[in-house]
């Protein structure tokens, strides 16, 4: 297994293995009708014309039965679920979601001050999506960019933790120090439809801690955007017994210190930054090797148009062998110990793929490079 959690191709294979047996997701077994609906949707996918599929992401071909089941759980009938699946496939194509893990979003937030990030799993095996609401300043980050950042984090959790295939998430909203000044309805209007429509039934539980009179006002509006099933997944915790309640589900080592646990989130994020960069760079190499890397076509009048992307130096594109060597070097850099990083300096972890290609063109072999 690769040490960095960016493996969409491998995840597609794993998800496909669910076909042919009992289908269930996080304890919810497909009913007889849902099994029939999954087969119906499989036929719809098989019958898609090549012309129609040009407007879809390749994601539509890699769907596992569990993915289809989640859409059925969220949207009911086969026809409704199929309509939503098509909408997601179009959205992923137009927004280039399949390549989002290769995008560098390290500058969206200041180091250590990321507002939303996935932590390791809770006691039920659910990756924890932590939202530190007191850090949020409405309007500081464009809602579209913020939503894209959350989408990237979600896609990383899909690859790293099996989110949506073998696991659902545990959302932890840290409201300590938060108030009305941090609330952002404009962001919610952009973000919530993306999560509900394109990542349905992935949230197992949402813990909001601590609640307050101000939050109750916010909740009265927020709950109107959610269906009954989604509302029932929320657990609202006041300041009395806050830590004890959270520790029933979340281990001390991944519960933030300000909520009564042992995890210094800011330090954890800073230490993790280099691994996230390595993950981004490896994801880009994965797409390049598969011939699926694209970039925006700035010369086209068509919205969302893309052109193939290549890794090159001095006008010469990297060969498949060079891409494999660059990927191997990326892994070696990611595995450096803290002592080795101190000895080599920060430059070593800041290398771009183009930098490694330059050295490789000069030194030829992986070992010399």
């Amino acid at each position: 297994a690769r040490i960095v959690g960016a493996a969409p191709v491998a995840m597609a294979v794993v998800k496909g293995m669910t076909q042919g047996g009992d289908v269930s997701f996080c304890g919810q077994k497909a009913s007889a009708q849902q099994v029939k609906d999954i087969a119906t949707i499989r036929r719809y996918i098989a019958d898609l014309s090549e012309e129609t599929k040009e407007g879809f992401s390749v994601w539509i071909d890699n769907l596992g039965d569990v993915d289809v089941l989640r859409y059925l759980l969220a949207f009911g009938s086969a026809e409704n679920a199929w309509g939503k699946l098509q909408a997601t496939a179009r959205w992923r194509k137009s927004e280039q979601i399949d390549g989002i893990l290769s995008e560098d979003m390290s500058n969206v937030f200041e180091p250590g001050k990321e507002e939303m990030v996935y932590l390791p799993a809770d006691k039920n095996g659910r990756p924890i999506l932590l939202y530190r609401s007191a850090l949020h300043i409405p309007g500081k980050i464009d809602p579209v960019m913020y939503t894209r950042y959350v989408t990237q984090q979600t896609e990383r959790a899909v690859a790293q933790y099996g989110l949506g295939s073998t696991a659902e998430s545990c959302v932890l909203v840290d409201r300590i120090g938060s108030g009305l000044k941090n609330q952002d309805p404009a962001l919610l209007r952009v973000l919530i439809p993306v999560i509900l429509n394109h990542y349905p039934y992935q949230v197992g539980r949402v813990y909001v801690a601590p609640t307050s009179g101000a939050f109750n006002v916010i909740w009265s509006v927020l709950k109107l955007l959610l269906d009954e099933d989604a509302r029932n997944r929320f657990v609202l915790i006041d300041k009395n017994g806050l830590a004890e309640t959270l520790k029933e589900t979340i281990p001390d080592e991944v519960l933030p210190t300000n909520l009564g646990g042992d995890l210094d989130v800011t330090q954890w994020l800073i230490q993790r930054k280099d691994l996230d960069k390595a993950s981004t760079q490896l994801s880009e190499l994965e797409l390049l090797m598969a011939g699926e890397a694209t970039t925006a076509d700035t010369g086209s009048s068509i919205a969302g148009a893309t052109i193939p992307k290549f890794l090159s130096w001095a006008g010469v594109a990297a060969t498949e062998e060079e891409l494999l060597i660059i990927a191997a070097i990326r892994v070696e850099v990611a595995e450096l110990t803290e002592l080795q990083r101190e000895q080599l300096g920060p430059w070593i972890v800041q290398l771009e793929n183009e930098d490694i290609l330059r050295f490789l063109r000069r030194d030829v072999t992986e070992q010399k490079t």
Side-chain angles (χ1 to χ4, degrees), residues 25-26 28 73 126 168-169 171 201-208 219 227-236:
F25 178 64
C26 295
Q28 298 186 80
L73 289 169
R126 302 175 299 198
E168 55 190 3
S169 66
V171 179
Y201 239 79
Q202 289 191 358
V203 176
R205 192 68 72 192
V206 181
Y207 294 91
V208 181
W219 176 243
D227 60 26
E228 183 179 0
D229 178 76
R231 289 195 297 271
N232 290 338
R233 292 170 185 260
F234 277 74
V235 179
L236 309 183

Side-chain angles (χ1 to χ4, degrees), residues 17-245:
M17 291 171 63
T18 64
Q19 300 172 31
D22 290 337
V23 184
S24 63
F25 178 64
C26 295
Q28 298 186 80
K29 185 176 179 180
S31 66
Q33 181 59 52
Q34 287 169 335
V35 170
K36 292 179 181 178
D37 289 342
I38 291 171
T40 298
I41 290 173
R42 286 255 168 247
R43 288 196 296 273
Y44 290 161
I45 294 173
D47 290 342
L48 288 171
S49 67
E50 289 302 315
E51 181 180 0
T52 299
K53 288 171 70 172
E54 285 182 4
F56 288 170
S57 156
V58 294
W59 170 86
I60 197 79
D61 291 321
N62 295 327
L63 286 171
D65 288 349
V66 171
D67 299 307
V68 180
L69 174 60
R70 285 193 295 103
Y71 276 73
L72 287 168
L73 289 169
F75 303 115
S77 69
E79 296 305 317
N80 287 344
W82 175 231
K84 293 293 187 178
L85 284 163
Q86 290 179 89
T88 296
R90 294 190 190 96
W91 169 76
R92 293 183 70 94
K93 174 80 171 186
S94 65
E95 297 298 322
Q96 301 179 52
I97 303 302
D98 295 337
I100 199 170
L101 289 179
S102 67
E103 296 180 17
D104 184 1
M105 295 191 187
S106 59
N107 293 325
V108 174
F109 297 104
E110 296 178 40
K113 294 186 178 181
E114 290 86 345
E115 297 171 14
M116 194 171 291
V117 65
Y118 274 92
L119 302 175
D122 68 7
K123 294 179 181 179
N124 297 307
R126 302 175 299 198
I128 300 168
L129 175 57
L130 173 67
Y131 173 50
R132 302 190 288 175
S133 61
L135 295 178
H136 185 67
I137 301 175
K140 183 177 181 179
I141 299 172
D142 177 72
V144 174
M145 173 54 70
Y146 198 109
T147 299
R148 192 162 186 83
Y149 172 85
V150 174
T151 301
Q152 185 190 63
Q153 291 295 309
T154 303
E155 288 289 317
R156 184 165 288 149
V158 168
Q160 187 170 1
Y161 299 113
L163 180 64
S165 58
T166 61
E168 55 190 3
S169 66
C170 167
V171 179
L172 175 56
V173 180
D174 174 4
R175 294 196 65 259
I176 290 182
S178 175
L180 288 173
K181 68 181 185 301
N182 305 110
Q183 309 314 311
D184 195 345
L187 172 60
L188 291 177
R189 282 194 292 270
V190 177
L191 177 60
I192 287 181
V194 168
I195 299 301
L196 294 181
N197 290 322
H198 305 309
Y199 298 97
Y201 239 79
Q202 289 191 358
V203 176
R205 192 68 72 192
V206 181
Y207 294 91
V208 181
T211 57
S212 65
F215 173 79
N216 291 334
V217 174
I218 300 162
W219 176 243
S220 65
V221 176
L222 177 60
K223 67 182 182 181
L224 298 177
L225 301 174
L226 308 172
D227 60 26
E228 183 179 0
D229 178 76
R231 289 195 297 271
N232 290 338
R233 292 170 185 260
F234 277 74
V235 179
L236 309 183
I237 308 171
D238 62 28
K239 61 182 179 180
N240 297 319
L242 183 151
E244 291 76 8
T245 302

Side-chain angles (χ1 to χ4, degrees), residues 282-295:
L282 280 168
S283 294
E284 179 183 45
L285 290 169
E286 202 165 39
L287 290 171
L288 288 165
M289 285 187 279
E292 298 173 358
T294 60
T295 187

Side-chain angles (χ1 to χ4, degrees), residues 110-114 117 119 130 132 135 253 256-257 262-276 338 342:
E110 296 178 40
K113 294 186 178 181
E114 290 86 345
V117 65
L119 302 175
L130 173 67
R132 302 190 288 175
L135 295 178
E253 60 268 23
T257 52
D262 298 333
L263 181 67
D264 183 332
V265 177
T266 297
Q267 189 60 34
W268 184 83
L269 286 167
I270 291 172
Q271 292 173 346
R272 215 189 129 74
K273 196 171 183 66
D274 292 339
L275 279 177
D276 285 341
E338 288 300 319
E342 287 180 13

